[in-house]
Amino acid sequence: MVEVRYAAARGAPAAAGKTRLDLRGDQLTAETRAADGTLLIRVTARVGYTGTEAHNGHHRYLTRSDGELIVTDYPYVAEPVSPFEVESVEFPAREHPVHALRPANPLHVCWGFYSPRVSFAYPARPNVPDEVADLHQVPARRARSGLPSGS
C-alpha cells in the first residue's frame, strides 16, 4: 500500500491491485488485476534471454497534482532480454477508468523492455518543471573512487 499512497500523492491514478508475470518458453504474459480480481490489463510479448549488456537511464513521468505540473524521474538499471517484442496489449474491463489508457489500434509500441533483473529508485520528491532538483549526493568515501556514480 505504500506504493499506492506514494503514487497517489504525486497525482498518479493509483489503486490497490496485483501484477503477475508468467513466462513459458519465449512467451511472457503480464496481467494486472484490481484488488477485487478484475482483469484490467494483459500484455503478451515474445522474449529472449538476458545478454551481457546492462542499460540504465530514467523514466520521466509528467502529471498534474492540485493544478500544478509535476515532473518525476525514476532512475533504473536493467539487464534486458533480446529479442523483446510486444504482441498484444489488452484492456478488457471497459467499465474501469484504466480502460481510457488503452493503446492505439493498430498497436504501436514506441519503447519497452523486459528484464528478469532490474532495479529502480523512487525519487526523494517530485519537482515543479522550473525548479532545480535536489540531487542525491554520493557519500564522500565512494565519490573519491573516481568511478561513475562513485561505484
Side-chain angles (χ1 to χ4, degrees):
M1 264 331 233
V2 171
E3 294 86 0
V4 171
R5 287 193 308 268
Y6 176 91
R10 284 145 183 85
K18 290 186 178 186
T19 298
R20 182 182 64 81
L21 299 177
D22 182 29
L23 180 60
R24 296 180 189 200
D26 68 349
Q27 188 75 33
L28 175 68
T29 303
E31 292 184 344
T32 298
R33 295 180 180 271
D36 68 1
T38 302
L39 178 61
L40 301 177
I41 305 169
R42 179 186 295 122
V43 177
T44 57
R46 186 174 63 82
V47 299
Y49 297 95
T50 302
T52 58
E53 293 184 20
H55 293 190
N56 60 69
H58 70 274
H59 293 288
R60 173 164 284 178
Y61 291 89
L62 302 173
T63 190
R64 190 166 298 280
S65 180
D66 296 326
E68 184 175 43
L69 182 63
I70 302 295
V71 179
T72 311
D73 294 327
Y74 294 83
Y76 71 89
V77 177
E79 295 175 336
V81 300
S82 183
F84 173 76
E85 181 181 346
V86 175
E87 295 177 339
S88 68
V89 179
E90 305 166 62
F91 285 69
R94 293 183 178 274
E95 69 288 347
H96 195 278
V98 78
H99 191 260
L101 300 175
R102 67 194 179 282
N105 189 5
L107 179 63
H108 176 77
V109 176
C110 298
W111 183 83
F113 72 89
Y114 167 66
S115 175
R117 294 185 353 150
V118 64
S119 295
F120 72 96
Y122 286 121
R125 64 181 182 82
N127 301 316
V128 174
D130 295 331
E131 183 178 297
V132 176
D134 289 335
L135 299 176
H136 170 73
Q137 294 298 310
V138 174
R141 64 185 165 68
R142 294 208 182 261
R144 289 188 296 270
S145 72
L147 297 173
S149 300
S151 32

